[in-house]
Amino acid sequence: MGHGRNALRTSAVGAVSATLIAAAGLGMAPTAQAAGGTNGIRFVDIAGDGGTPLKANVVTPADADGSRAYPLIVLPTSWGLPQIEYLAQARKLANSGYVVVSYNARGFWQSGGRIEVAGPPDIADASKVIDWALANTPADPARIGMAGVSYGAGISLLAAAHDKRVKAVAALSGWADLIDSIYSNRTQHAQAAALLDGAGYLTGRPSAELQQVFKDFFASDLTKEQSLIDWGKKRSPATYVDQLNKNGAAVFLANAWGDTIFSPNQYARFYEELTGPKRLEFRPGDHATAELTGLLGLPNDVWTDTGRWFDHYLKGEDNGVDREQPVRLKSRSTGGYEGYPDWKSVGATSRKIALGGTTTIHTNVDSGADGGVVFLSGILDQLTRTPPVASIPLLPRRWAAVWQSEKYASGQQVRGTARLHTTVTGTKESGTLVAYLYDVGPLGLGKLVANAPYTFHGRTPGKPFGVDLELSSTAYDVPAGHRLALVVDTVDPLYIEHNPSGAQLTFSSPEHDPSYVSVPLREQ
């Protein structure tokens, strides 16, 4: 694992560097702006929890003269990005009548402290930033919102659950369940975790606890599993959903279908548990790519809806955002938006593909069916509608199990979460399988629709057991004349696999418990 982890850290350098270059292109270097003092921008130090200095910038409306108060929006930065990340959006928000305070989370860049991964000190920091803003800006204590991308989204949700002063949240490309995001179905998401680990070392100072967490994570030490789960739960907004509901903050969630760090599934489940004003949006893309053009100051649907959300719930504007369908989706195959009354209505109907017969595959070899590459694959799908592909007829059946539907006479609009149910028999007590749903064209080329990993431990060799697995939620249109294929293999570069040498997996479909994949379809 060591060499792979170092290679992924190297790729993290490129990802972070590219973002910093883009930010520099905005012409928003802190020293230059501070010297000019234009547009109401100030760069300040704010004392966070325990007095830890947090580097921040403040943008106020041009007409602020001390005679009135304005709604406040607090923006914690994303993982590894500097405090200038949100300046383009902060200016827009200030021009529309908000006081905006953006700050670098502790442990990153010039802020003090260590990286705590949205731990208690980070939550306390958010409240300290609010305290400072109320004391040092014309901010209205009754109209406070928080927003952020990725790390900033998670901190915003956690802060709203712990500080009842927060009345509205926009959590963009964030997480609700940290463990489900990087350790789903007991499978380590290797590329995602290595990218976060590498970026943390490049741009900040990981705490001793975080260093140990990553060490245990990559070591695959099952004796550390429960402590890792407990660590993640403490940092998951889903853990505090009851308190968030009690506080009553209006919550806007947005994510990308192909997010390889924080999957859409965990956001959808969290959305269903919210009882206050809420909105859920999914678009094509990978982690934080749907919001990127907005950070560069360009027109962007996500940031436009963020502004509308705050305008209604902090300013009281009657802009209709509360009367629109609260679940809004953009298909990976078409350019239009679709509205639904709730998440359950997205896949109103479903069609089962039977997974008949008995199939045995060998492990430890990548069949060629893969989920892609972190960031890159989702971006390609977003910009060119080119998801990861595989030639289904050429997949080696020794290492991949394949089932296909009949050709569809009409187009199929896949919407929501496909679910796999099957019976597995392993020759070892541990193992990993990865399931893929493909759109297969006339020439046998399969385009990835959804995928998910599954790992088991402590199973009796030779004894069958049931597997129920949710694939990644999506919105994808299968053309007429195509078919769907379910492929299962045991190796994918996105994940750490747990297949002992020489292990085999057998998939069967008992008469009393037939195997299938249930595909959710839009009602037409």
Side-chain angles (χ1 to χ4, degrees), residues 84 119 148 181 268 319 341 367 476 509 520:
I84 62 171
S181 297
N319 57 15
S367 71
Y476 182 97
S509 183

Side-chain angles (χ1 to χ4, degrees), residues 424-441:
V424 177
T425 306
T427 58
K428 306 290 184 180
E429 66 173 16
S430 294
T432 296
L433 61 93
V434 186
Y436 311 87
L437 187 66
Y438 284 101
D439 161 26
V440 185

Side-chain angles (χ1 to χ4, degrees), residues 64-342:
D65 57 7
S67 63
R68 54 172 291 200
Y70 299 86
L72 167 68
I73 296 178
V74 174
L75 302 168
T77 53
S78 300
W79 185 274
L81 293 193
Q83 59 165 312
I84 62 171
E85 175 187 6
Y86 300 114
L87 277 185
Q89 287 301 320
R91 282 172 161 169
K92 288 186 177 183
L93 288 166
N95 288 339
S96 60
Y98 294 93
V99 171
V100 185
V101 179
S102 174
Y103 71 96
N104 243 130
R106 65 169 52 224
F108 286 103
W109 295 89
Q110 286 80 33
S111 285
R114 299 278 177 174
I115 302 173
E116 304 289 345
V117 194
D122 291 296
I123 300 170
D125 283 346
S127 292
K128 291 289 187 180
V129 171
I130 292 173
D131 293 342
W132 184 92
L134 294 177
N136 294 277
T137 74
D140 185 344
R143 296 183 292 168
I144 298 173
M146 288 192 66
V149 176
S150 185
Y151 194 45
I155 291 176
S156 295
L157 287 172
L158 288 163
H162 288 81
D163 192 329
K164 62 178 62 178
R165 294 177 296 178
V166 179
K167 304 302 181 184
V169 174
L172 317 178
S173 290
W175 77 90
D177 188 327
L178 190 56
I179 292 299
D180 189 58
S181 297
I182 62 173
Y183 189 59
S184 63
N185 304 303
R186 304 183 77 181
T187 311
Q188 297 108 308
H189 293 220
Q191 287 188 12
L195 186 66
L196 295 173
D197 186 21
Y201 275 99
L202 282 168
T203 63
R205 300 164 302 282
S207 66
E209 181 185 32
L210 177 57
Q211 293 179 52
Q212 187 62 48
V213 163
F214 274 121
K215 181 178 179 180
D216 294 340
F217 181 89
F218 286 105
S220 301
D221 184 352
L222 288 178
T223 65
K224 304 291 186 180
E225 183 179 40
Q226 190 57 51
S227 64
L228 288 172
I229 292 173
D230 293 341
W231 176 86
K233 283 185 175 180
K234 185 184 295 186
R235 291 158 171 79
S236 296
T239 302
Y240 311 100
V241 67
D242 291 342
Q243 189 61 42
L244 185 59
N245 287 333
K246 181 179 178 181
N247 290 348
V251 178
F252 170 47
L253 305 172
N255 204 355
W257 292 121
D259 195 319
T260 44
I261 296 181
F262 303 131
S263 77
N265 299 48
Q266 46 93 34
Y267 245 21
R269 285 192 291 269
F270 181 66
Y271 172 83
E272 289 291 273
E273 295 179 2
L274 295 172
T275 58
K278 59 184 180 179
R279 184 180 179 99
L280 176 68
E281 296 184 356
F282 285 132
R283 296 174 175 84
D286 207 309
H287 183 66
T289 63
E291 299 88 3
L292 181 58
T293 56
L295 294 178
L296 301 177
L298 302 174
N300 181 277
D301 290 352
V302 188
W303 286 104
T304 295
D305 286 348
T306 294
R308 295 178 64 231
W309 190 253
F310 286 136
D311 287 346
H312 179 75
Y313 288 103
L314 295 183
K315 287 184 179 179
E317 290 186 6
D318 185 16
N319 57 15
V321 73
D322 58 321
R323 296 188 296 275
E324 297 170 357
Q325 297 275 45
V327 176
R328 194 165 181 245
L329 313 179
K330 191 172 187 180
S331 169
R332 293 162 52 198
S333 308
T334 59
Y337 284 97
E338 303 165 4
Y340 300 86
D342 51 40

Side-chain angles (χ1 to χ4, degrees), residues 1-12 190-191 193-195 218 493:
M1 226 3 249
H3 294 299
R5 188 177 177 187
N6 290 335
L8 286 166
R9 277 188 179 173
T10 301
S11 69
Q191 287 188 12
L195 186 66
F218 286 105

Side-chain angles (χ1 to χ4, degrees), residues 394-519:
L394 297 181
L395 290 176
R397 277 18 180 204
R398 179 180 176 83
W399 296 296
V402 180
W403 298 267
Q404 297 192 70
S405 71
E406 298 297 323
K407 289 183 180 180
Y408 295 113
S410 58
Q412 306 293 301
Q413 294 183 317
V414 179
R415 300 289 186 274
T417 310
R419 291 173 171 82
L420 167 65
H421 173 76
T422 189
T423 296
V424 177
T425 306
T427 58
K428 306 290 184 180
E429 66 173 16
S430 294
T432 296
L433 61 93
V434 186
Y436 311 87
L437 187 66
Y438 284 101
D439 161 26
V440 185
L443 299 180
L445 186 66
K447 295 182 177 180
L448 187 65
V449 177
N451 72 300
Y454 181 93
T455 294
F456 62 89
H457 296 289
R459 292 290 180 178
T460 302
K463 184 176 181 180
F465 61 93
V467 169
D468 288 286
L469 176 62
E470 283 190 352
L471 276 62
S472 51
S473 300
T474 194
Y476 182 97
D477 297 347
V478 180
H482 286 213
R483 63 180 84 219
L484 285 170
L486 182 81
V487 177
V488 180
D489 70 2
T490 63
V491 176
D492 189 310
L494 287 174
Y495 314 113
I496 294 177
E497 52 91 9
H498 296 265
N499 295 298
S501 179
Q504 299 177 30
L505 298 178
T506 297
F507 302 91
S508 57
S509 183
E511 185 176 347
H512 66 280
D513 186 20
S515 296
Y516 61 85
V517 58
S518 177
V519 180

